[in-house]
Amino acid sequence: VISSFCLMNSFKQKMDKCVESIRIDLFQMQESLNKILDLFKVYIDEKTYLDLKEKINKYEFKNLSKDEFFICFSSFEVIKKTLEGIYINNFESTNNETINLLFSSFKDVTIHYTDMTQDFNSNAVGFNYWRNLYFTKWIKKLFKIEEVTSIK
């Protein structure tokens, strides 16, 4: 029983680290998109620029719950595709190294985000396994330990 409680605590700590890492990843995605958008400012109209800027800066990562991660990530993916379209129409022939590095950085952070999401979900499965054991039912009732849901 004690080992079960310790393992649940270990999984919980790992999940907390994953959540913080995902928040950092989303912040880095936001920074990359803002920099790309600022470079494209002269190629798009003011209304489109302000609209994209508002969508990019919509989220406050410190207060973002794990249930909102996928919504934020999906939003950033849509914005990135919009910016890639602008890039193809205006920059493709110039092969701007700065913009290519920013898109590459976004891709790298996306891969890390996916890895951290998978890591969180595998730790959630481990946590829920130990939480639902027959011998630890009294622990979850006594400490009101809720089942952890995965991140999409």
Side-chain angles (χ1 to χ4, degrees):
V1 175
I2 293 172
S3 63
S4 296
F5 190 70
C6 290
L7 286 168
M8 286 170 43
N9 187 43
S10 173
F11 284 118
K12 180 74 171 130
Q13 288 175 350
K14 290 177 184 176
M15 288 186 294
D16 290 343
K17 287 181 183 177
C18 289
V19 166
E20 288 307 311
S21 182
I22 290 170
R23 284 187 178 127
I24 292 168
D25 289 341
L26 292 171
F27 176 76
Q28 289 175 334
M29 288 178 192
Q30 182 188 50
E31 289 297 306
S32 293
L33 291 174
N34 272 318
K35 289 177 183 175
I36 293 168
L37 183 61
D38 288 342
L39 290 171
F40 291 176
K41 187 174 183 177
V42 296
Y43 295 98
I44 56 177
D45 62 279
E46 187 70 21
K47 184 182 182 306
T48 304
Y49 174 81
L50 293 174
D51 184 46
L52 287 172
K53 197 74 156 169
E54 181 181 330
K55 288 178 183 177
I56 292 170
N57 296 315
K58 178 180 177 181
Y59 299 98
E60 180 66 39
F61 301 107
K62 205 174 4 177
N63 302 325
L64 201 64
S65 73
K66 69 178 182 67
D67 298 328
E68 296 172 305
F69 288 161
F70 183 72
I71 296 166
C72 179
F73 176 75
S74 298
S75 173
F76 286 167
E77 282 290 318
V78 169
I79 294 167
K80 183 194 77 130
K81 289 181 182 181
T82 302
L83 293 174
E84 284 176 335
I86 295 168
Y87 176 70
I88 289 170
N89 291 334
N90 296 294
F91 288 97
E92 191 173 35
S93 62
T94 61
N95 196 13
N96 189 317
E97 189 174 326
T98 304
I99 296 170
N100 288 334
L101 286 173
L102 288 168
F103 276 122
S104 177
S105 170
F106 187 91
K107 182 180 177 183
D108 293 342
V109 174
T110 300
I111 291 168
H112 189 261
Y113 169 88
T114 305
D115 291 344
M116 287 296 100
T117 302
Q118 290 173 350
D119 194 23
F120 177 92
N121 291 341
S122 64
N123 285 310
V125 168
F127 178 87
N128 290 333
Y129 170 80
W130 288 103
R131 177 193 169 275
N132 292 326
L133 279 179
Y134 176 75
F135 299 109
T136 58
K137 285 185 180 181
W138 66 273
I139 292 175
K140 70 180 175 185
K141 287 181 183 178
L142 179 67
F143 294 107
K144 298 178 182 173
I145 300 173
E146 299 292 323
E147 187 169 13
V148 176
T149 58
S150 63
I151 299 174
K152 293 180 182 180

